[in-house]
Structures are given as C-alpha cells and as structure tokens.
Amino acid sequence: MIKYICKKCNLNTETSTCPVCGKRAEMESSNIYWCDDCNIPLYDEICPICGKQARRIGSDLRPVFPEERLLLEIMLGEPFKYRNASVWNASGNFYYADGKKVPFSVKQTKLLDAKKIRKQLDELSPQNSYNFFNENINKFLIANRHRYDYITNEAMEYIRTMAEGVSLTEMFVSFSGGKDSTVVSDLVLRALGNQQVLHLYGDTTLEFPESAKYVKRFKAEHPKTLVLTAKNKDKNFDELCEQLGPPSRVMRWCCTIFKTGAIQRKIQTLFKNQKRILTFYGIRRSESNSRNKYDRESDSPKIAVQRTVSPIIDWLDFDVWLYLLTTKTDFNDAYRLGYTRVGCWCCPNNSTWSGFLSEIYMPEQYEKWHTLLINFANKIGKPDPEVYVDDGWWKARQGGNGLDYAQTSVLTFEPCALQENTLNFELQRPITEELYELFKPFGYNNKSLGNERLGEVYIIGKDGSLQMKLQGKIGQTTFKVSILNKNAGHSNSLKAVEDKIKNQITKYQMCMGCLGCESACRFGAIEIITDRSGLVSYRIKDDKCVRCGHCITHYDGGCYMRKVMCIKR
C-alpha cells in the first residue's frame, strides 16, 4: 500500500491530496506484499483469497512475461527452470521466483555474450509457453480487485472533473505507445464515453520497432479514434550527434528538437487560435526523482498553450499492470521482452539492462549507435573511448568541449569608446536580415530613420519612442548596438537591456532550428524553417508578436543550444 503525509497539517493520508488543506501530500512509503500460500503479489497485507498474512517483498513490482523469463533463464544457464514459477521483478531490478530472490545482477550482463544468447533465444522460444503465466496472473487479478476498482474509479472521476466544460476540439491524449499513455488513453475513452478523443503520437524517429507495431495495432483496434503523428522531418538524429555530440542525461537536446518542437507545431496546426488546450498525460511520480515533484495538473513548461493533467500520477508499476491485465488492454510488446520504458531506444536515461536488451533484440541498431559513441569519444580526445562508452560515462557529459559548434556560444564584444551605452560586437556569422528579426521583440524595425549607407536600423517601441539603434552592413561581422532606452524589452536597468541584447546575438550565432523558441511563444509568432540544404531561417511575425519579450529570456543565455553547448572560454 501507499502512505502519504501532509507536512503542512502533519497528517497521514491514503491519497496525495490532503483532505484537510487540499494541498499536495508527499509519498512516505509504498509496500507490495507476497502471499506465500497463493504465490502472488498483493497490494494489501492480508490476502483476500486465503486470508493469511502476507510479507513485504518490495516498494513496487511488475510481472515478468515468459519472453523475459526465458532470457533470464538462459543468462543463468538453466533454460525453463522457472517455467512453472511465479516470476516478478521488484524495484531495484531484483527478480523473484515464487517469492524468493533469483541470484542474478544486471552487472553480470557485461560478462555475457549477446550473440550466443540471441542464438539460444531463437532456438528455445518456440518451446516457451504462457500457460502457467496466465493461470498465475488470473489469481493475481482476483486478489487485487479492490485496488483495481479504487484506482480506476478515482482516475475516471478525476478525468471527468478536469474535462468538464471542455469540448473535444480543445483536448487530446498525449500518446507515446508506452504502457502509461496506453492506460491513460483507455481511462479517458472510458471516462468520457467517447472514442473520438484525439490522440497525438510523438514520433521521435528513435522509437522501438515494437512501438511502431503497437501504434499500428492501436489504430486498427480504435477505428473511431483519430491518432495523428507529430514528427520533425527536417532534422536527422545521427547528423546532429556529429554536430552536437550524443545527448546526455543533463543535455537531452533530442527532446526539444524531435519531441517538444514537433508536437508544438502539430498543436498549432490542429488547434490554431485556441488559448488553452487540455492534454492528458501518462506521467507518474514514481518513475523518477524529477517527476516526483510534478503536480497532477499544471501549465506545460515547454509548450505555451497546454494545460496538462496526469490522471495516473500516483500509480505504481504494480497499478499500471494491474489495470492493463485486468482490462485485457493491448500493449507494447517491448515490455514482454523485459524493457521497463519504451521511449527512445538509445535514450541516455535508459538503464544498463535496457542497453543489454537492445544489444540482444536490436543488434544492428545497437552496433551502429555504439560505433557513433566510440567515434565521438575519439573526437573529443577521451584517452580510453571503449571504457568511456561501455561504462556509460557519455551519459553524464556536460557542455560542448571539443566540438566546433560549441564555439558559436562565445560572444566577442567591447564597450564603444566614442558612444555612451553602446556595445561593439564581432560576430562569428556574417550579418543577414535574420539578425534584425531577432530584435523585433524589443519593438518595431525602422530603416527609414537611419542612415542606409551605414546600415543603421532603429528599434521603435509601441508608443513610438526610440529603444535602440543597430548598425551593421549585410555580409560583414562588425555589429554595433546603441541602447537608447534603459527600459527596452521590459527591462528595469541598462544592464538588463545589455543582457537581453547578448541573448539575441547568441541566438543568431547558435540557431540550428531546434524549435525551442517556436514552442515557447504562446502567440505563435515565431516560425523556424529548415530547408533541404539544412539552412535555418528564423522569422518573427509582426502581426502576431505582442512584444512581450518572453522569447528573449525563456532560456538562460537566450538560446536552448547555448545551455547545451556552453564551454569555458
């Protein structure tokens, strides 16, 4: 069972919402029990089938399907040893068979030959059976029916409450093809009694093969449900890895480029001028420490017009599988193989176990990715590339040291000796009209007031006042900015204006079309286009831009890629 505590009221509660103050209560502990007589895991301490006391086995638990069970047996050198055993995986990636810990550690995978294991799997899989597994699962479902009823009814009531007054044209389900979004999809369709709720599938181009197959099955099984795909067709992941280096846990540039940006574009196309969109997410707090801080409903920090709600935010893995198996809902077959998450198959957040599974089931993709990582390690001068890659150090890298592109994050400038409040910049990229686009959030560009021969452009505020003067000729790299109003861009000091100017020039030097700025603008005023040659153009639409300046400061340093590629000078 799960126990929560409201620290404000110093009150224990069964839900994450305090019944007294209505504020969020924090999880204090979670316990899953094991009934030795019935040979199944339980949410409650007393077995509903035999009435006997159960013992604690872990804080969470998931079923081990026959495919994963056979793999485990082969790794142990004892095929089919647990064919007629109740096999589960507890938090910490510990395997249990009939309630007893299996002597296996993920660290052992480093010593195993993936090719030999793959060969044995091919030979033995035809003999594998679901007979005992299905019998055991049926008993598990009966014993935990009370928990299923509680979490299902609570989630469906929450969905109906959040959707009250919201039309179908103002909502969608964020559908990833993973188990959590599958559960949320089923709950939403059931709770609202309507199969026509839009589903938006974000294809990052790095999905598991099983995910593509599952999405195809989902569409066939839900003919009335419109499932649309959001995909960034302008960028190539392998090419970006060459330019930016592979994504790491703290530098997951891939999410912004291949997921958030693509989904935002699709949202803008579908919902056009909607001021608020209700999005049902499958996020759960127990997935990670960072997600443990999430609220059940909130405004999206990445996509400006979204109001996100997470119906199963407090569910355990135990609950997710209890729901899927009780309702007999189809799900992604990657989970049968042993994967615990099915986002991008090469995500730096994936575990060692997940990487080993990919070596087994996706040998060609795995080898290609491994070679890319080795090449990157050599490129940035790592003394032992194999160790850097195989021990997972690439997942923890920070900054763009050793990469040519990272040099564009460096700004070269100095105060003008002849003009007050003026900065002289030496750009790394020749001046184009696009540079002036980036000053539109400060006001309106006016060339008629300036000296065309000197390349002068004035920025005029909404009230007609002068904000700043820009000076630079197309094709050259010398650029001068004179600050004429210390409150330009909603600033409260001259220093703040200078910092915002630096943000925009950084953005000009670094922009590679990540779509971060486009996603951040809730007015849809920013348009970023990458042509077939890879050339990126950044445009701010005058008729939509309200000059709020949010795009200037949304990212530290002005540009998302600066955060990713920041280096020491």
Side-chain angles (χ1 to χ4, degrees):
M1 60 179 63
I2 307 177
K3 294 181 180 179
Y4 299 92
I5 183 169
C6 175
K7 293 186 177 180
K8 180 181 179 181
C9 302
N10 194 26
L11 178 72
N12 289 317
T13 172
E14 292 184 0
T15 67
S16 62
T17 301
C18 177
V20 176
C21 68
K23 301 295 183 181
R24 179 184 166 188
E26 296 182 13
M27 183 186 292
E28 194 172 39
S29 64
S30 63
N31 298 295
I32 301 299
Y33 303 93
W34 186 270
C35 176
D36 287 310
D37 278 24
C38 298
N39 208 22
I40 52 171
L42 305 169
Y43 183 77
D44 295 313
E45 201 168 353
I46 303 299
C47 179
I49 295 178
C50 67
K52 293 186 178 180
Q53 178 86 24
R55 58 183 172 85
R56 185 183 186 277
I57 195 170
S59 59
D60 202 356
L61 209 69
R62 65 173 177 84
V64 173
F65 292 89
E67 291 87 344
E68 182 183 2
R69 188 212 75 236
L70 178 58
L71 172 62
L72 174 65
E73 293 163 336
I74 290 173
M75 290 190 294
L76 294 171
E78 300 177 280
F80 300 116
K81 177 180 180 179
Y82 301 113
R83 185 202 297 263
N84 295 319
S86 180
V87 186
W88 299 76
N89 185 283
S91 50
N93 206 21
F94 296 112
Y95 286 94
Y96 287 85
D98 294 336
K100 298 177 182 177
K101 189 178 289 187
V102 175
F104 173 78
S105 170
V106 174
K107 293 180 181 179
Q108 295 173 229
T109 57
K110 288 189 176 183
L111 306 175
L112 299 174
D113 187 326
K115 291 183 180 179
K116 289 183 179 179
I117 292 175
R118 198 180 308 121
K119 182 180 178 181
Q120 284 185 279
L121 278 171
D122 290 340
E123 293 172 350
L124 298 175
S125 290
Q127 303 172 43
N128 210 8
S129 170
Y130 261 78
N131 292 338
F132 181 84
F133 176 85
N134 290 336
E135 292 175 9
N136 191 251
I137 286 297
N138 286 337
K139 196 187 302 182
F140 160 73
L141 300 180
I142 293 171
N144 293 284
R145 182 71 194 197
H146 177 73
R147 175 64 178 172
Y148 165 80
D149 288 339
Y150 172 76
I151 58 175
T152 300
N153 292 333
E154 192 281 334
M156 290 175 69
E157 182 58 34
Y158 172 77
I159 290 167
R160 284 190 283 264
T161 299
M162 296 307 299
E164 189 173 352
V166 182
S167 71
L168 286 179
T169 60
E170 299 173 314
M171 68 172 71
F172 71 90
V173 172
S174 181
F175 188 67
S176 68
K179 65 184 188 305
D180 299 335
S181 67
T182 295
V183 169
V184 169
S185 165
D186 198 64
L187 284 168
V188 169
L189 297 180
R190 288 176 62 190
L192 302 184
N194 195 321
Q195 294 289 312
Q196 297 180 333
V197 180
L198 173 66
H199 284 46
L200 194 52
Y201 171 60
D203 182 356
T204 63
T205 72
L206 302 168
E207 308 297 320
F208 285 90
E210 289 80 9
S211 296
K213 295 174 184 176
Y214 171 63
V215 172
K216 186 176 181 179
R217 291 201 310 270
F218 182 91
K219 291 179 179 180
E221 293 169 5
H222 299 79
K224 294 182 180 180
T225 304
L226 180 61
V227 182
L228 298 180
T229 299
K231 182 177 181 179
N232 188 340
K233 300 177 181 179
D234 297 330
K235 300 293 181 181
N236 179 279
F237 179 73
D238 290 348
E239 292 176 0
L240 287 176
C241 283
E242 288 290 329
Q243 182 181 10
L244 309 175
S248 68
R249 291 192 181 105
V250 295
M251 295 164 46
R252 287 189 295 144
W253 50 261
C254 44
C255 288
T256 296
I257 296 174
F258 290 99
K259 190 173 183 180
T260 306
I263 290 175
Q264 168 68 355
R265 279 190 166 179
K266 182 65 74 171
I267 287 174
Q268 287 181 348
T269 301
L270 295 171
F271 297 95
K272 297 189 188 269
N273 298 320
Q274 296 280 12
K275 294 182 178 179
R276 188 62 61 192
I277 303 162
L278 187 66
T279 306
F280 294 102
Y281 264 120
I283 288 175
R284 294 185 295 115
R285 289 181 180 136
S286 64
E287 289 181 284
S288 66
N289 289 330
S290 61
R291 292 190 174 185
N292 185 46
K293 302 172 185 177
Y294 285 16
D295 293 322
R296 198 174 193 185
E297 62 262 359
S298 64
D299 291 328
S300 170
K302 294 182 178 180
I303 299 177
V305 297
Q306 274 188 284
R307 179 70 173 170
T308 65
V309 298
S310 307
I312 64 170
I313 197 166
D314 288 319
W315 287 26
L316 303 175
D317 273 358
F318 179 96
D319 298 323
V320 170
W321 287 111
L322 177 61
Y323 183 91
L324 289 171
L325 295 170
T326 298
T327 57
K328 293 182 172 54
T329 302
D330 187 20
F331 56 86
N332 193 318
D333 285 334
Y335 295 110
R336 300 181 189 274
L337 303 179
Y339 288 101
T340 57
R341 63 191 305 269
V342 292
C344 299
W345 74 268
C346 54
C347 179
N349 281 338
N350 286 349
S351 64
T352 301
W353 173 244
S354 180
F356 177 72
L357 289 176
S358 294
E359 188 177 5
I360 296 291
Y361 293 108
M362 305 171 60
E364 292 182 8
Q365 295 98 316
Y366 176 86
E367 187 57 40
K368 180 181 177 182
W369 176 239
H370 188 265
T371 300
L372 184 150
L373 293 176
I374 294 293
N375 290 340
F376 169 74
N378 281 313
K379 184 177 182 179
I380 62 174
K382 293 298 176 182
D384 197 336
E386 292 282 350
V387 173
Y388 177 76
V389 172
D390 293 340
D391 286 357
W393 292 108
W394 64 274
K395 298 179 180 180
R397 77 181 189 90
Q398 299 184 48
N401 293 324
L403 297 172
D404 293 339
Y405 174 69
Q407 297 300 321
T408 61
S409 68
V410 178
L411 279 187
T412 303
F413 64 93
E414 59 182 18
C416 180
L418 302 177
Q419 292 177 277
E420 189 179 11
N421 301 334
T422 298
L423 296 174
N424 289 320
F425 292 89
E426 190 60 40
L427 306 182
Q428 297 186 42
R429 175 186 171 191
I431 296 172
T432 67
E433 289 293 339
E434 189 175 326
L435 176 58
Y436 300 102
E437 288 284 318
L438 291 164
F439 283 84
K440 285 184 177 180
F442 291 103
Y444 298 87
N445 293 359
N446 189 311
K447 294 183 179 180
S448 61
L449 292 177
N451 186 326
E452 184 177 354
R453 184 175 60 83
L454 298 177
E456 291 180 344
V457 175
Y458 280 85
I459 306 298
I460 312 297
K462 284 185 176 181
D463 59 358
S465 62
L466 297 177
Q467 303 296 302
M468 60 185 69
K469 181 177 72 172
L470 314 178
Q471 185 177 335
K473 294 183 178 180
I474 301 296
Q476 296 186 354
T477 57
T478 301
F479 187 62
K480 181 185 290 186
V481 182
S482 301
I483 301 171
L484 307 178
N485 183 349
K486 68 178 183 179
N487 300 122
H490 306 287
S491 304
N492 54 17
S493 68
L494 188 65
K495 174 67 166 55
V497 181
E498 290 181 359
D499 288 342
K500 290 180 179 180
I501 290 170
K502 293 172 187 175
N503 281 1
Q504 296 306 83
I505 293 178
T506 297
K507 194 175 295 182
Y508 177 70
Q509 291 191 160
M510 298 200 74
C511 184
M512 44 76 69
C514 77
L515 306 184
C517 294
E518 191 176 287
S519 299
C521 180
R522 64 191 181 94
F523 301 101
I526 299 175
E527 182 181 40
I528 299 171
I529 300 172
T530 304
D531 65 18
R532 292 183 178 179
S533 67
L535 184 66
V536 177
S537 63
Y538 191 112
R539 295 287 179 264
I540 297 178
K541 303 171 186 175
D542 268 322
D543 59 330
K544 291 190 175 182
C545 180
V546 298
R547 272 68 187 178
C548 66
H550 176 71
C551 60
I552 300 176
T553 57
H554 183 74
Y555 296 108
D556 291 340
C559 178
Y560 174 73
M561 297 314 300
R562 179 188 180 278
K563 173 184 174 183
V564 173
M565 291 284 106
C566 190
I567 59 173
K568 294 180 181 179
R569 294 191 62 174

